[in-house]
Amino acid sequence: SAVGRGPEVPFRSEAYSISAIARGKELRLTLSALDPAAGPPAQDLVFRFGMSGSFRLCPAAELPRHAHLRFLTRESPPRALCFVDPRRFGSWRLGDAWQPERGPCVVSEYQAFRENVLKNLDDRAFDKPICEVLLNQKYFNGIGNYLRAEILYRLKIPPFEKARTVLEALKEQEQERRKDASLTLSKKVKLKQENPDLLELCHTVPKEVIAAELLDPEHSDNYAAFKDWLQCYLVPGMSSLRDRNGRTIWFQGEPGPMAPKGQRPRKTPRKKSPQLKADPEAPSPRVTRRAPKERQRAAVKSEEKEEGKEEEADRPRKGRARGRRKGPAAPALPEVPPSVRRSRRTSARKDKGAAPAV
């Protein structure tokens, strides 16, 4: 598209196929002509999806907005496989090379991923809280914001516990299992299934989402299923904090010893009951937000009236009964010395000029 930020794709063919392979947060497409002798050489593209990138297959005459790259089919009417990215945080580049700073994939390269983490625990990257390290794609290629919340919640690990503390304990447990001669292979497998550790959940939790196709953008019903699958991320009643990278982490319980100072955990509000939502007499959010200010204004006016009454009591009573029916004369008041009258007028002016704090 005209506003796409990726490079031009120098591949043109009347008949070609597309194959794909994923690695962590990257996807590589390979475009191959059906007739290699007559067509162009194969072309590889590596995609990053950002926060909103996805692929969508739709009629070529009804392209979605933000379809920045399109592959057309030969059927009639033709369809288009579109790379759709509303926020344009995603990208693609030519060639088959994965980004060099990304580690093994947590899903497709599990053993290599596990070894890469455990053999590099001396890296200063593991001095940070575990919730921040889980987003480090050098070691956790494929883990994102919602996955880290779900993984830590299932293991009851405070998000701001030091990463090295968490992972060294895991390494010690693994060494003890290897030394235990009484554990057969089947028992070791059973132990892993019943008590998975953090690295194992980094492998199995994403597979749950993939197997159930919970993030299929073409089916809106899947998003409802995805929300039902979530146990922690954006779930009402959970707490949240911003980490040092500005990303929000959801959790339950204590945040951990490395929690950012100056922040207080915020609770995700629980959903209102259906009865409250269906009540036609329930106040709208706008009225509810303005209600405290109106009460404050009413309180200020009430205080001003009281001050006015006190001030009138200190004023001379001459002319107060103008326009009223004459009643019995009020009893004469004792004479007040001039100095006392001046002090009263001064105090009344001070009271009048002092506005209550709002």
Side-chain angles (χ1 to χ4, degrees):
S1 69
V3 296
R5 295 179 179 176
E8 289 287 338
V9 180
F11 182 87
R12 296 291 183 275
S13 177
E14 289 297 322
Y16 63 97
S17 64
I18 302 178
S19 59
I21 184 172
R23 184 176 186 266
K25 288 194 172 184
E26 294 183 292
L27 180 76
R28 183 168 66 205
L29 297 188
T30 301
L31 314 179
S32 305
L34 294 184
D35 185 1
Q43 175 68 60
D44 292 302
L45 305 171
V46 177
F47 287 81
R48 293 176 62 189
F49 292 88
M51 295 180 67
S52 61
S54 66
F55 277 96
R56 191 177 306 172
L57 186 63
C58 58
E62 301 174 8
L63 293 177
R65 295 184 62 189
H66 311 290
H68 299 307
L69 194 62
R70 307 127 187 188
F71 305 95
L72 300 178
T73 67
R74 296 188 67 187
E75 59 192 336
S76 182
R79 289 186 294 171
L81 178 66
C82 305
F83 177 64
V84 182
D85 186 16
R87 297 188 181 184
R88 290 194 287 177
F89 290 164
S91 63
W92 67 86
R93 62 184 183 277
L94 305 180
D96 62 351
W98 306 111
Q99 281 188 311
E101 67 270 20
R102 290 182 179 270
C105 175
V106 297
V107 174
S108 61
E109 302 169 302
Y110 171 64
Q111 289 301 328
F113 148 71
R114 188 180 184 91
E115 292 172 5
N116 184 46
V117 172
L118 295 180
K119 74 179 182 182
N120 289 297
L121 291 181
D122 294 335
D123 192 331
R124 289 191 300 175
F126 295 98
D127 292 335
K128 298 179 180 180
I130 185 63
C131 67
E132 296 180 10
V133 175
L134 283 173
L135 295 184
N136 187 338
Q137 301 300 296
K138 180 179 179 181
Y139 295 108
F140 294 88
N141 185 13
I143 300 299
N145 204 23
Y146 81 89
L147 285 172
R148 67 169 178 172
E150 295 299 314
I151 292 167
L152 294 175
Y153 171 78
R154 294 189 186 191
L155 295 173
K156 307 303 178 188
I157 297 176
F160 291 95
E161 185 66 64
K162 191 174 183 178
R164 186 177 289 108
T165 303
V166 174
L167 294 168
E168 280 184 344
L170 183 154
K171 188 175 182 179
E172 291 173 1
Q173 292 175 2
E174 188 173 84
Q175 291 174 348
E176 290 176 1
R177 286 181 184 178
R178 289 178 179 177
K179 292 179 181 179
D180 192 348
S182 63
L183 289 176
T184 62
L185 181 60
S186 60
K187 288 183 178 180
K188 290 180 181 180
V189 172
K190 186 177 180 180
L191 278 175
K192 285 186 177 182
Q193 292 175 346
E194 295 176 351
N195 302 290
D197 59 37
L198 184 139
L199 297 181
E200 288 166 347
L201 285 188
C202 286
H203 173 63
T204 58
V205 174
K207 288 181 70 175
E208 291 179 16
V209 182
I210 296 170
E213 297 182 351
L214 294 179
L215 293 180
D216 187 348
E218 293 189 1
H219 298 87
S220 58
D221 292 343
N222 286 21
Y223 183 66
F226 174 65
K227 289 181 69 177
D228 291 340
W229 174 85
L230 292 171
Q231 300 179 31
C232 178
Y233 181 78
L234 291 176
V235 171
M238 295 295 166
S239 301
S240 65
L241 278 173
R242 286 188 178 274
D243 62 22
R244 290 170 179 82
N245 298 319
R247 304 292 300 276
T248 301
I249 174 69
W250 276 262
F251 61 94
Q252 186 180 53
E254 294 298 321
M258 299 183 73
K261 296 181 180 179
Q263 286 193 56
R264 295 180 62 184
R266 295 183 299 173
K267 284 277 188 179
T268 306
R270 296 186 179 276
K271 296 180 179 179
K272 295 182 180 179
S273 62
Q275 291 81 0
L276 291 178
K277 287 185 177 181
D279 186 3
E281 297 182 0
S284 65
R286 183 175 297 176
V287 174
T288 304
R289 287 196 297 269
R290 282 171 22 200
K293 293 184 179 180
E294 292 176 356
R295 285 197 295 268
Q296 288 177 359
R297 293 193 191 103
V300 171
K301 289 181 180 178
S302 176
E303 291 176 13
E304 289 176 349
K305 287 181 179 178
E306 293 297 326
E307 288 181 359
K309 290 178 181 179
E310 294 174 1
E311 189 177 349
E312 287 180 1
D314 290 338
R315 288 178 183 171
R317 302 180 63 86
K318 182 178 178 181
R320 288 193 65 197
R322 182 179 298 170
R324 298 178 184 173
R325 289 185 301 175
K326 292 183 179 181
L333 296 175
E335 182 67 17
V336 180
S339 61
V340 175
R341 288 201 298 269
R342 284 196 299 271
S343 66
R344 284 184 177 179
R345 286 196 298 270
T346 304
S347 63
R349 284 196 297 270
K350 288 181 179 180
D351 291 341
K352 185 178 179 180
V358 179

